Each structure stands twice: as structure tokens, then as C-alpha cells.
Amino acid sequence: MKSLRLHSRTAFLSLLLCLTLAPIASSLSAAQNAPTAPISTANLQDLEAAARREPTHTRWLRVAEACPDHLCRFYALQQAQALAPADSKVLLAFAEYYVSREQNEKARDLLLRVTSAGPSNFLARKLLADLYQQAGTNNLALAEYRRLEHDFPGETTLQASIADAYRKLGVLPARAEKEFIGRKRDESARLLAAWQGSTAASDADTQYLVRLEALNAKRTLAAANATALADIRIDHVQLNGLFSTHVQQFFRIENEQGAREFSIRKVQYAPASEALRILHARVHKSDGRVLEAGDAGENPVADTSVAMYYDVRARAMRFPGVEPGDVVELEYRITPTLETNPYGDYFGTLHLFRTSLPTALKRYVVIVPASRSLQVEEVRMAAKAQLTEASGERVYQWTATDVAALPNEPRGPSATTIAPYIHASTFADWKELGAWYAELLRPQFELDSALHEIAARITRENPDELARIRAVHQLVLRSTHYVALEFGVYSYKPYSVSQTYARRFGDCKDKASLMIALLREVGVDAELALVRTRRLGDIDEHVASVAPFNHAIVYLPKYQLWLDGTAEYSGARELPLEDQGATAVTISSNGDATVRHIPLTTAEDNFTHRTLRAELKRDGTIEFSGETYTRGENAPGLRREYEVAERQRDAVRQPLAEVFPTVRLDRVEVQGASDLEKDVHVSFRGVLDSFAGKTTVVLNNSWMARKYLSTLAPLGLRTQDLLLPAQWETEEELHFALPAGAKVAALPQDTHIETAFGSSNLTYQQRGREIVVRNHVQLRSIRVTPDEYAAFRDFCSRTERAFRQEIKVYLR
């Protein structure tokens, strides 16, 4: 079945009728069910407690009906579906949920299941017909409405709803249409005014937009798969801080790879709070033809495992027959559907003026009420804003031409550290931002009785303050599942900590808030930290806004300790590498905001040591046992791999097999896999039979993979700084016991390399029938400039060559 498409297919009257429609998820249920009083939080908790005590799908459906938001509702529907996966009420409730989230294909599939199994379910059939109509597939909608009218003549409410649907499709006489419009004239007039206002704003934008005929980009710009002939964005900011965005883009396709990349373009928006209108989506062929793009449907901007938790969705437009030389045009407008700003009157933006594509014309326009103060920072911009003021509005306009693409080198600097950008905000300073955000957070930190009891228990069981910190940290990590909720313009405010704990899931700011609330309750001062993770790079700190930040963690001022509630396998001393070195602003309980830089760990913090004892047999087999100790950056990943006891042997064998593919492990013991505050210890025993039956055995000087050149410095030359994840240190001690009569060729020469970037040392010693090899490598630098890169690459190459030296043993 072709993708469902949401667009208007009729003239102005049909557009006006569409604008007056209620959401289809509630169009029928409102007619079938009498209004009910809002459910209180306490009653909701009682319903959920009863469903957990004696779980049935009916109880969980009741919980879903009582939920105040989509996250709660989705969780309850999941529980109901697990208990009754084929129940029509459950499927219908889930379909209505998907419709409310504009996940139309999921809703369609569920409704088809329900209607196929039970054709008498007119609720499901009506919802399916409404979905067809809303998607613009009017022929399917009309056919289903006709069948419903014929099959259920006695259902008066249904017949009235079908009559409204006919009017929307324009299949009734003109008199009936006029009567309908008369009844709706007040609402229609309001919506028409809003629509006209939106159109007027679009018309006003014309002075900042361009025509394709006026664009004549030089071919010298075409150093990529495509060239942005024009990339224009216009933000209209309202007095209350809400804003609409108008985007116009023209991309010239330079080669076949570019044609593949630009055959589909996606536009992101938040359907719960924004409306997306595609103004133009088409291909301008080199022979003069213009082909309209097709709507390829919508998808959540998420991993499919947590897709339902995302507020942001992507509308995909498919451009037909794109070829080199064609120009892809995409123009759209995103407008807020909210009447009031739930976050006060704040507006903030961070806009890059250099991207991965060469750009002939780059323009950014911000239009604000003249009465609003806007703080603006222009970083590395070639020219300051063109500022004009008229009709009660202040217009900031930045324009650049012939902008080169950002360098594309692995592990290079982030865009904000090398590219020009605009950072603007309505906050006067960080103090004002801190006061605003603290007030936004304050009601969300209130504990319910269950959390008060948990905090009291933690206090009783842990008289030491550091022990309480560890207890709260592990409680949040283990009792709440992380889901990547969107941290964008409509997601500054976390859910209440009671909701987060009751549902057992949340995003970064939800988990951080729960941790902070519990820490404060057990007597530990804790602050929320908004973080701009390291991969995004530093920003200028003169303008205060939340726009640059994409993460939220916890800061403990007394201990200068940072805790990340999303790092489910990290102890309190093991902050994820993306947090380390990042810019953060911490918000105290009284609203003080402080810009900080999260410290980096040292090489000694990230340490791995391995001891191996191997006995070489006369037949060439090697029996070995060993121990590995890991702390720091690699420990969380190992805990994840070793979490399931049945998989530990394979997890331990895998890195050994990179060196010895035929290695066999007979015993593995792991400590520290479940305790986040312990380092990871692994002991193992096994057999290596690669040399079985051979008279000559080659002993490696390391049982770890040593691929420094390919992993750290793969490029021959660099034009940008090389950024490495962390400093680290590895150490090995290998003991090889030889059989009687075995002879050893000359041992390799010891290696000692010392540089500004790090060091590597390998030593060899033979004592009777035992060979002892010790190696030690330390990386102390995480930033290498282009001028230093050749020396750093030489260090990696020399170290890797040193580990290729072998010890040859003759058995007979």
C-alpha cells in the first residue's frame, strides 16, 4: 500500500473545512463517551497500583485512559498489549494513540487487523476511514464511509459523523455545505484569519528569499556531491517567545552520489506543538522540466526501540529522477500550534554559517518585536548583522556568499570551534537564565510518599555521605530505563520525579532531576548541569541560552563530582567520555547559573593491566591462565559485555581471538560486572593450539590487539586538529614456560620510545626455561595539531612495529 500522505487536495472551501476538523483520534470517541472529570494523580496511582497487583488488559486500559500525557499512556498500553495482544479494544486503543502521535502507518496497520477480525466494529472502521481521509486518499475514505452508512443504518451518532465526513469530502449538495459553514462560521473565521496571517507572514518573507533564475553559483564551489545554491532560514519570534521558521533551499546535484543522497530530503518538527507546511518540493531538471516531489511519509527521529518516546518526527519528501546537473528545491514553514509559551517568553538560537556542503548563498534572518531585547553574539562572522526596524519589528539579517564546506576529516574539531555562527537569546545574562530555569524545575523536584520513603531508607542504611551519593546514583541507574527523549525547544522541562520513578523510564533531564531530588532529600547539595557534549565543541559564553546544550547531568559542588544518569554501566568515578571536557552550565536550587568546563580524566585514570602465564608443550600447544584488571574509560563497556553470565566466556574470548583466532577458553571468572563502584577483574584459563604439531613456535610480545596507526592516525596528512577520546595506559606482563630441550632464537631488542604524545616500552628477559615480556604504553595527548601530526603518526607507527616483533622457539 502506498504511503499515507497528509496534504490538502481540494480548493479553498475544502481547506477551510479541514482547518475546522477536530483531531481524528477523538472525533468518534467524543461522540460515544460522556465527558468524565479529570483523574487526580492519587487516583491514577491507585489505578496503576491495582493493575500491577492483579494485572489484566482491562485494568491497564483504564490506566491508559486516565494518563495525562502520551508517555504514561504508551507505557500502560504496552502492559495491556502484553496481556492481550490480539484483543480488539487494546488494538483500537493503540491505534488511537498512534493517530494522536501522527504515526499513521502504524495506526492503519492496527486498524486493518481489527476490522479484518471484526467487521462489526464500526468504531475501528470509522477511525480507519477518517485516517484515509486525513491522509488525502479520499477514494478509500469515501468507499469505507459508504459501507459504514449501509451496514449500520440504526447507529444515529455514527450516521451523523459520516454526514460530517461527507461534507468534508464535498459530496453533499451546496445548500448543505452552506448550512454547515454557517454553523461553523465563528470557528472558521478565526482559523481563516490565522491562515491568512500565516500567508501574510510568508508573503513578507519574499524580500529575503531568492528565485532559482537569479542563482548562478560558480562551478569552483562544486567540491562535494552537491552544492547549496541557496540556504535561507527566517525565524519570526512572537512577543511570548514562540517562533515560526521559514526555510528555502536549492541544491545543485554534482555527481551520482549526490543524486542518491538528495533523492530523499527530511524535515524535522514536533507535531505535538508545531505544524509543518511544505511550500515547495520539486526537481528542476537540466532540460527545463520541473518535477514535483512525492510525500514519502513520516518517521520518528529515534532508534526504533524507543521511537514512541520521541516528540520529534521527520517528514520525508521523495524527489523523482534526480540526476547530476539537476537542482533540488525544498521550501517549508514550521509554525507553533500553542497559544502560550509553556516556558515563559524565552527564545534562543544557535545557527551555524558553514556546513558540510559548499554554499553559494547563506542567509539567516531573525525578526523580533521591537520591544524585545535580543542578545546576539557573532562568532567568526565575516560581517555583522544588517539591522533594520519598522512596523514594530526589529530585523537581524546575516548574508554570506561562496562559503566553503567544512573539512571532512575523522576526529576533527567540531563545527562551532572552526565555523562562523550566530548565538542569540532573549536572556540578558546567565543569572537571568538560572533564575528562569530553577523556577521551571522547582515543582518537578517534589517527592511523593514512595520517594520520601526511599530517601529515608538510604539515609538510615548509609550514615556516610559519599555512601549515600553512591546509593542514590545506583538506584537511579538501575531502577529507571533511559530513553532518548528529544531535548529541543519544547523539552526544557523534565517530568516530575515522581512520574519518572513510577514509570521507570526517562530521558537525560528526567533521570538527572530524579537523582538531584533524592540527593537533596538525603542531605547532599546537587545541581542540574546542562551539557554541550564534547563532540559538539565549545561555544562563546557571552550569550546565555539553552540552545547550545544537548544533554543534562548532575553536579555535586562539595565534591566537584559529575554524575550522568544515562550512563547505566558507569560508576560514580566513571563519567562518559562525551561529558568529559564539555562545556556545562550548572543551575543551583536558588537559581545561580555557573558556566563550567568538565574536567578530563588522566592516563592513570584509564588503566588496563594484564598478567599472563603460558606453558608451551612439546607438541606445540600452549596452556595459559591470566588476569586482566581494568579501570576508567573501558570499564563501563566491559560491564555491559559481561552483564549476562552465560555470555562472559565469549566476551572475554573475543579480544583474544583478534590476536589468536583459534584460542579456546575453558574457564572465565568476572568480578565487578554488577557492582558499578568496583573495577573490573577477569581471570581466565584456556588452550592455544595454533602451533600444535609444529617444530617452530612464534610467541607474540602482546596478547592484546595493537592497531595504533589505523585507529589513532589513519590519514597520511591532516589540515585540522586531531581530537582523541581520552588519555589511557596499558600494561602487560607475559610469562612463557618452555619445555625441556627447547631453544630460543635471539630475543628482540628492547624498545623505549618517549615523545610529547606518550611513550611505549617493551622489554625481554630469559631466565632459564622462562621468557618474561613486559610492555607498557601510555597516551598522554588528546589533541594533535596538523603541524604535530606527522610526529604523532610516527609515534603510532613505531609503537605498532615494536609489537610486531616475535620470539621464535625451536622445539626440536
Side-chain angles (χ1 to χ4, degrees):
M1 181 181 294
K2 67 179 181 179
S3 299
L4 296 172
R5 295 181 235 178
L6 300 175
H7 59 84
S8 174
R9 295 168 61 94
T10 58
F12 172 74
L13 176 60
S14 295
L15 171 63
L16 187 59
L17 294 176
C18 274
L19 289 171
T20 64
L21 301 184
I24 62 174
S26 59
S27 62
L28 197 59
S29 58
Q32 295 292 325
N33 301 293
T36 57
I39 301 288
S40 68
T41 300
N43 288 338
L44 176 59
Q45 291 175 347
D46 290 342
L47 288 171
E48 188 168 349
R52 292 184 185 280
R53 192 166 50 249
E54 297 182 24
T56 66
H57 71 281
T58 303
R59 282 195 171 95
W60 279 111
L61 285 177
R62 183 70 183 99
V63 173
E65 292 173 2
C67 282
D69 56 73
H70 70 273
L71 293 174
C72 169
R73 187 179 173 200
F74 179 75
Y75 174 76
L77 290 173
Q78 277 189 316
Q79 306 308 307
Q81 190 176 44
L83 294 166
D87 183 83
S88 61
K89 291 183 178 179
V90 173
L91 296 177
L92 183 58
F94 237 133
E96 290 181 333
Y97 170 82
Y98 285 138
V99 168
S100 71
R101 304 293 297 158
E102 296 195 19
Q103 294 176 279
N104 299 304
E105 293 189 3
K106 288 179 179 290
R108 176 203 63 198
D109 293 344
L110 287 178
L111 291 170
L112 287 172
R113 284 179 59 187
V114 175
T115 56
S116 298
S120 61
N121 191 330
F122 64 82
L123 291 173
R125 288 176 56 182
K126 176 59 167 59
L127 188 57
L128 180 62
D130 289 344
L131 190 64
Y132 287 147
Q133 191 275 328
Q134 186 77 355
T137 51
N138 291 347
N139 56 333
L140 294 175
L142 184 59
E144 187 58 43
Y145 288 138
R146 295 294 192 201
R147 286 191 290 269
L148 282 166
E149 182 183 16
H150 177 269
D151 294 346
F152 304 97
E155 295 288 346
T156 55
T157 304
L158 174 65
Q159 293 295 327
S161 181
I162 293 173
D164 278 344
Y166 284 158
R167 294 186 184 101
K168 297 165 193 174
L169 292 171
V171 298
L172 288 184
R175 184 180 59 83
E177 287 183 350
K178 183 177 179 180
E179 180 183 348
F180 173 74
I181 293 173
R183 293 200 309 269
K184 296 286 186 178
R185 63 182 178 274
D186 294 336
E187 183 179 7
S188 298
R190 179 181 64 81
L191 291 169
L192 177 59
W195 178 79
Q196 289 174 331
S198 175
T199 302
S202 297
D203 292 342
D205 291 346
T206 302
Q207 60 185 304
Y208 310 113
L209 304 178
V210 294
R211 295 177 61 84
L212 178 59
E213 297 78 17
L215 298 174
N216 185 24
K218 301 174 183 176
R219 281 287 171 179
T220 54
L221 278 177
N225 298 328
T227 298
L229 299 181
D231 187 0
I232 299 170
R233 171 172 168 155
I234 307 163
D235 285 340
H236 290 265
V237 183
Q238 301 175 17
L239 195 61
N240 63 3
L242 294 176
F243 67 99
S244 63
T245 296
H246 188 169
V247 172
Q248 183 192 44
Q249 297 172 322
F250 291 95
F251 301 102
R252 186 178 64 211
I253 308 305
E254 307 293 357
N255 54 37
E256 292 293 343
Q257 180 62 31
R260 288 190 290 271
E261 292 176 359
F262 282 79
S263 62
I264 291 182
R265 302 297 291 168
K266 294 183 179 180
V267 180
Q268 293 185 11
Y269 77 112
S273 53
E274 297 174 328
L276 169 64
R277 184 181 174 199
I278 303 294
L279 302 175
H280 294 294
R282 52 197 177 188
V283 179
H284 298 266
K285 303 291 290 183
S286 55
D287 61 7
R289 290 178 298 146
V290 177
L291 305 179
E292 295 294 330
D295 191 333
E298 291 190 351
N299 292 291
V301 183
D303 184 290
T304 54
S305 63
V306 294
M308 295 303 97
Y309 303 124
Y310 267 74
D311 287 333
V312 173
R313 297 183 64 77
R315 173 80 61 81
M317 304 303 296
R318 188 184 304 278
F319 293 86
V322 179
E323 298 173 306
D326 292 347
V327 173
V328 169
E329 177 188 2
L330 179 60
E331 183 181 354
Y332 60 89
R333 188 176 183 89
I334 298 175
T335 56
T337 56
L338 304 175
E339 294 184 0
T340 58
N341 191 337
Y343 309 110
D345 61 356
Y346 159 72
F347 166 79
T349 182
L350 180 67
H351 190 76
L352 285 173
F353 245 68
R354 192 178 176 192
T355 68
S356 60
L357 292 180
T359 304
L361 172 66
K362 178 76 173 178
R363 178 171 293 153
Y364 180 46
V365 181
V366 179
I367 303 172
V368 298
S371 59
R372 291 303 311 263
S373 175
L374 188 67
Q375 307 301 315
V376 177
E377 185 69 22
E378 299 159 318
V379 180
R380 289 183 289 274
M381 293 293 293
K384 292 188 176 296
Q386 177 185 342
L387 187 61
T388 58
E389 190 167 326
S391 303
E393 291 183 330
R394 187 182 306 112
V395 180
Y396 299 79
Q397 181 180 174
W398 294 270
T399 300
T401 57
D402 296 346
V403 181
L406 284 169
N408 183 22
E409 295 179 348
R411 291 182 173 169
S414 63
T416 54
T417 60
I418 58 176
Y421 66 88
I422 305 298
H423 187 195
S425 174
T426 53
F427 286 125
D429 50 33
W430 291 105
K431 180 179 179 181
E432 185 177 329
L433 181 148
W436 163 79
Y437 203 66
E439 189 62 29
L440 199 67
L441 295 173
R442 189 167 290 112
Q444 309 308 103
F445 285 170
E446 294 182 6
L447 306 183
D448 59 11
S449 58
L451 288 176
H452 276 297
E453 184 179 337
I454 288 171
R457 174 176 55 78
I458 289 175
T459 303
R460 287 193 307 270
E461 295 176 355
N462 300 277
D464 177 69
E465 193 169 79
L466 285 173
R468 294 180 194 174
I469 292 171
R470 288 192 292 268
V472 169
H473 180 241
Q474 293 205 27
L475 172 76
V476 173
L477 290 183
R478 297 186 183 284
S479 64
T480 58
H481 174 58
Y482 170 64
V483 294
L485 298 179
E486 183 66 20
F487 192 74
V489 67
Y490 295 107
S491 303
Y492 307 141
K493 188 174 183 177
Y495 283 91
S496 73
V497 297
S498 300
Q499 285 178 301
T500 298
Y501 183 72
R503 296 172 186 163
R504 300 296 195 270
F505 64 77
D507 70 356
C508 58
K509 63 188 179 299
D510 296 326
K511 289 169 73 76
S513 298
L514 176 59
M515 198 180 298
I516 292 167
L518 286 171
L519 286 168
R520 290 177 180 175
E521 185 69 11
V522 302
V524 179
D525 183 27
E527 301 178 356
L528 186 78
L530 299 176
V531 177
R532 181 174 175 82
T533 50
R534 187 161 31 139
R535 65 182 169 82
L536 296 184
D538 293 332
I539 57 163
D540 187 276
E541 300 168 9
H542 289 91
V543 169
S545 84
V546 298
F549 302 103
N550 65 319
H551 194 35
I553 62 175
V554 180
Y555 177 62
L556 280 60
K558 179 178 178 180
Y559 300 97
Q560 296 185 13
L561 181 65
W562 304 82
L563 303 173
D564 190 328
T566 69
E568 297 181 3
Y569 295 89
S570 297
R573 297 170 295 135
E574 298 164 347
L575 195 64
L577 296 180
E578 269 294 284
D579 296 338
Q580 296 179 31
T583 300
V585 57
T586 57
I587 313 294
S588 69
S589 58
N590 62 6
D592 290 337
T594 305
V595 179
R596 306 178 190 270
H597 292 274
I598 303 175
L600 293 160
T601 52
T602 65
E604 291 78 9
D605 294 325
N606 304 312
F607 177 67
T608 297
H609 175 84
R610 171 173 288 166
T611 302
L612 182 85
R613 296 188 179 275
E615 183 178 0
L616 177 59
K617 301 295 185 178
R618 291 196 63 82
D619 63 357
T621 59
I622 299 175
E623 295 180 357
F624 62 87
S625 63
E627 293 183 351
T628 301
Y629 163 80
T630 304
R631 68 169 179 258
E633 61 155 336
N634 288 330
L638 292 176
R639 291 193 191 100
R640 182 188 294 273
E641 291 182 12
Y642 300 154
E643 181 179 31
V644 180
E646 292 77 12
R647 299 177 186 169
Q648 288 177 355
R649 181 176 299 184
D650 288 340
V652 174
R653 181 189 177 279
Q654 184 177 355
L656 287 171
E658 292 183 32
V659 183
F660 305 107
T662 62
V663 69
R664 186 181 79 236
L665 292 181
D666 300 324
R667 179 183 63 81
V668 167
E669 292 182 5
V670 177
Q671 297 178 3
S674 57
D675 190 339
L676 302 183
E677 300 308 320
K678 289 185 177 180
D679 299 325
V680 180
H681 294 258
V682 178
S683 60
F684 51 88
R685 182 183 299 276
V687 175
L688 180 63
D689 57 7
S690 302
F691 305 102
K694 297 182 179 180
T695 59
T696 302
V697 174
V698 175
L699 302 178
N700 292 51
N701 58 12
S702 174
W703 282 38
M704 299 179 184
R706 306 283 184 168
K707 301 176 182 178
Y708 298 120
L709 203 59
S710 61
T711 58
L712 300 180
L715 300 182
L717 295 172
R718 290 189 69 93
T719 61
Q720 299 292 316
D721 287 358
L722 168 67
L723 305 183
L724 299 171
Q727 301 178 50
W728 49 259
E729 185 175 0
T730 65
E731 191 175 76
E732 274 185 298
E733 185 174 318
L734 311 176
H735 295 260
F736 298 101
L738 308 181
K743 294 182 180 181
V744 180
L747 292 175
Q749 291 291 318
D750 293 349
T751 300
H752 301 285
I753 303 173
E754 186 70 37
T755 72
F757 314 107
S759 61
S760 53
N761 295 279
L762 290 88
T763 63
Y764 306 86
Q765 184 180 10
Q766 184 174 3
R767 297 179 298 202
R769 289 194 291 161
E770 182 183 49
I771 297 174
V772 180
V773 181
R774 294 182 175 89
N775 65 64
H776 177 272
V777 180
Q778 187 181 74
L779 181 70
R780 296 189 294 267
S781 180
I782 62 170
R783 191 179 195 106
V784 180
T785 68
D787 290 341
E788 299 170 328
Y789 183 68
F792 174 72
R793 199 164 192 269
D794 180 66
F795 164 64
C796 294
S797 179
R798 290 165 60 198
T799 299
E800 192 171 309
R801 285 200 305 270
F803 278 103
R804 292 188 191 136
Q805 298 183 94
E806 299 170 337
I807 305 167
K808 192 172 292 185
V809 178
Y810 302 104
L811 297 179
R812 53 185 181 273

